[in-house]
Amino acid sequence: MGKSPPSPPADIETAHGGRKGRHSPSYDDVVDETVHGGRKGRPSPPSDIETAHGGRPAGHRKSRSEPPQPTPRFSPPAPKPWFPWLVPLVFVANVALFGYSMYYNDCPEHIDTDRECILSDVLGRFSFQPFKENPLLGPSTRTLQHLGALQKELVVENNEGWRLITCMFLHAGVIHIVANMFSLLSIGIRLEQEFGFVRIGLVYMLAGFAGSLISILHLEATAKPTISVGASGALFGLLGAMLSELLTNWTIYENKCAALLTLVVISALNLSLGFLPRVDNSAHVGGFISGFLLGFVLLMRPQYGYVNRKHIPPGYDVKRKSKFTIYQYILFVLSLIILLVGYMLVQALSRRNIYRQILDT
């Protein structure tokens, strides 16, 4: 009897290319065959081995040593500028009232025969008062009084408080209105585009009203009765609001120091013009201070990096900054308190002057 032939080794294939038995290939064999495109088996390679195409094998798990994905940063869309219509409307109202004041003045009709109106042959009833009477090329003092100029006796004794507002829309002459309207358009339109007509309208009117109140105190201290007209108090209020807006919104500006220096120089130059003759600098100072305080109250903007929740996509839990900084809240509260106390103080001083005049009479 012959013995049956021995079983072939596990690594010898049959004539048809199949296997008679299974064996566990070594890891080197698997890697070698994987590179050449074929596999004899599918062992799971270690997690730090990559395939020939540079990717990781299927089922690979990320190593714990890999850095985490950075948190996405979101930013709110750029704010759309407001359409400026209030400032141009105030400009038109001031120019129209000046034209009406010249029509109402009618210099050739009311002037004496020994005096002559300026440009009466060309302008007719719109001609200007003599230069000695009004060097700003405008109407007479009588005309401005009738139309609502600010005067101590009329406000304090006759209780015509409406003059605190109407004087803001009257001007003493062509030079006066040209200078004021140029400032109004250059400052007011930019502020209205950024903050809207409501907030800029409030700053303009409240600052002008405060300038009129301070002017009343100044006029009461003078011996000769005088009048005060012009939008200078309101315009200085806008200038002061620009300065405080820069300070309270400090984090969102890039060239902070350059912008601050520019505003300080412009403010100082404009305030220095108030020391010229026939200029009511008290209205300038009162309007500037009130506008500066109103800017901290009305012109606050969110700090740099603040994102509203509605601008964050669903599914993201992002740590957000607070809308306003601590110093913005502090400036808001302090300015509001100073404004209220200052208004009550001016009211008390005005009443004391009224009582003093009553006792003197």
Side-chain angles (χ1 to χ4, degrees), residues 152 155-157 159 217 220 346-361:
K152 174 193 66 175
V155 174
V156 176
E157 298 177 4
N159 294 323
L217 297 178
E220 289 179 346
V346 171
Q347 288 290 328
L349 291 175
S350 299
R351 291 175 183 176
R352 188 183 67 177
N353 291 327
I354 293 175
Y355 295 151
R356 183 187 302 171
Q357 289 185 357
I358 293 175
L359 293 175
D360 292 340
T361 57

Side-chain angles (χ1 to χ4, degrees), residues 132-186:
K132 290 183 178 180
E133 182 179 343
N134 188 347
L136 298 178
L137 302 179
S140 63
T141 302
R142 175 191 58 85
T143 297
L144 295 174
Q145 286 176 341
H146 289 172
L147 295 180
L150 187 64
Q151 187 175 353
K152 174 193 66 175
E153 293 81 2
L154 298 178
V155 174
V156 176
E157 298 177 4
N158 298 345
N159 294 323
E160 297 181 1
W162 50 270
R163 292 180 179 271
L164 296 170
I165 301 297
T166 55
C167 68
M168 297 163 48
F169 298 92
L170 295 174
H171 289 82
V174 174
I175 299 175
H176 190 198
I177 192 172
V178 168
N180 279 354
M181 293 304 100
F182 176 78
S183 301
L184 174 66
L185 294 178
S186 60

